[in-house]
Amino acid sequence: MARSRERGWPAPPEPLPVAVVDNHTHLDTVVTWEAEGWDPTLDDHLERAASAGVTRMVQVGCDLDAITWTDHVVRTHDALLGAVAIHPNEAVRHAGVLEAAPDGLDPGRAHDVSLADAIARVEAVARANPRIRAIGETGLDHFRAGTRGREVQREAFRTHIALAKELGLALQIHDRDAHDEVVEVLLSDGAPDRTVFHCFSGDAALARLAVSHGWFLSFAGPVSFGANDALRDALREVPPSLLLVETDAPYLTVHPFRGRPNAPYLLPGTVRTVAEVTGRPLAEVCTALAATSEAVYGTW
């Protein structure tokens, strides 16, 4: 009989030698995740992360409830800065577009709040809270959108880009199966000075293009997966000054914990993968990652 797959929280890793930043995490979802072996609060997660050498995080709120949660929590926890936006898949539902997409899933129901009003909420929070340092995640997701939905996503993306530039904030991009189209929008509209490809999933050619424009690339757990040689090739193209890391928790848990819940305390596995792939000393990688994070988001 096959062994059942472990689904509980992984054990804490060996701490990093120099503290780093989790550039993208969804702690609002992490703290409500039910898994065996540990029932943590937000403070528990922050403490475990700090013990592993992940002392600061960018909390990302990309639906209306998460935006409200993010607005509050970054004011009350010094370890957190925030990013807010309407996720491209949420944008489609706010626009009332329900259609079949390549993912094959039921598109669900439309949101009661219009897309314009939802983005107005993003703007209001970003203007009022100095600890919101990025607009994101926004972008294009062709896997979860049909023809009309992709049009909605594109216009929402452009609106978020304009907002990031107006407010002088960084931009965090969600790019799924839409590399060429994302680049097209950035080049046609003009990317913000600090543009980050969250959970970078492109190849070495896209990495070189991004680097040529001074865009930041953030790598998550998939860079450690055995089949992702192309992603590791892309990583080798990125100079330390444009490199970030993230968990995208509670998703995309680093090898060998794939399929189990993710949290910021597990980021050291990705950092160690970066050091191994690039052939650089671990402490040097950590120091550079911390410096690049502050270059994008400022000080905590």
Side-chain angles (χ1 to χ4, degrees):
M1 179 182 295
R3 295 177 59 187
S4 61
R5 191 171 185 180
E6 175 64 57
R7 296 293 182 183
W9 293 102
E14 180 181 348
L16 294 170
V18 177
V20 300
V21 173
D22 184 347
N23 159 78
H24 188 110
T25 186
H26 300 277
L27 286 165
D28 53 304
T29 303
V30 171
V31 297
T32 61
W33 200 272
E34 295 183 1
E36 297 178 359
W38 190 36
D39 185 20
T41 65
L42 174 60
D43 287 339
D44 291 333
H45 273 293
L46 297 181
E47 181 179 349
R48 181 170 279 194
S51 296
V54 185
T55 56
R56 296 171 292 173
M57 289 140 256
V58 179
Q59 156 62 24
V60 180
C62 48
D63 63 53
L64 291 179
D65 288 342
I67 289 167
T68 298
W69 193 89
T70 300
D71 185 29
H72 169 72
V73 79
V74 300
R75 296 177 188 270
T76 56
H77 292 76
D78 292 342
L80 303 178
L81 293 177
V84 292
I86 300 301
H87 190 284
N89 299 329
E90 291 291 303
V92 174
R93 296 174 67 191
H94 280 292
V97 175
L98 303 178
E99 62 182 350
D103 63 8
L105 299 177
D106 183 335
R109 60 179 295 272
H111 289 313
D112 295 332
V113 178
S114 72
L115 179 56
D117 286 346
I119 294 178
R121 175 60 178 160
V122 171
E123 179 175 358
V125 169
R127 286 187 182 278
N129 188 341
R131 294 186 64 78
I132 300 297
R133 303 289 177 80
I135 299 298
E137 59 192 272
T138 179
L140 303 177
D141 190 324
H142 283 185
F143 183 63
R144 298 202 185 281
T147 301
R148 290 190 300 144
R150 293 179 186 187
E151 294 173 356
V152 169
Q153 289 183 352
R154 185 183 182 94
E155 290 310 306
F157 184 25
R158 297 184 66 204
T159 302
H160 283 90
I161 289 172
L163 181 60
K165 291 195 290 188
E166 179 182 351
L167 299 182
L169 298 177
L171 181 77
Q172 286 201 359
I173 293 174
H174 173 100
D175 168 20
R176 187 171 188 183
D177 295 350
H179 303 321
D180 291 345
E181 293 80 3
V182 165
V183 170
E184 179 187 348
V185 172
L186 290 174
L187 294 180
S188 63
D189 285 32
D193 291 338
R194 290 160 293 140
T195 291
V196 180
F197 278 72
H198 136 68
C199 193
F200 183 77
S201 59
D203 59 12
L206 181 58
R208 286 192 294 270
L209 175 65
V211 167
S212 74
H213 290 286
W215 300 335
F216 296 83
L217 281 65
S218 180
F219 288 80
V223 76
S224 71
F225 298 169
N228 282 351
D229 289 336
L231 190 56
R232 287 183 283 275
D233 289 342
L235 171 60
R236 295 184 184 97
E237 299 290 337
V238 186
S241 61
L242 295 176
L243 179 63
L244 297 164
V245 289
E246 63 177 271
T247 56
D248 196 25
Y251 315 107
L252 302 180
T253 314
V254 68
H255 178 79
F257 306 117
R258 188 176 185 180
R260 296 171 68 177
N262 199 7
Y265 77 91
L266 295 170
L267 185 62
T270 299
V271 177
R272 288 187 165 90
T273 298
V274 169
E276 292 167 5
V277 170
T278 60
R280 294 160 52 209
L282 180 59
E284 176 185 309
V285 168
C286 293
T287 299
L289 288 170
T292 304
S293 299
E294 290 198 2
V296 176
Y297 303 108
T299 59
W300 269 247

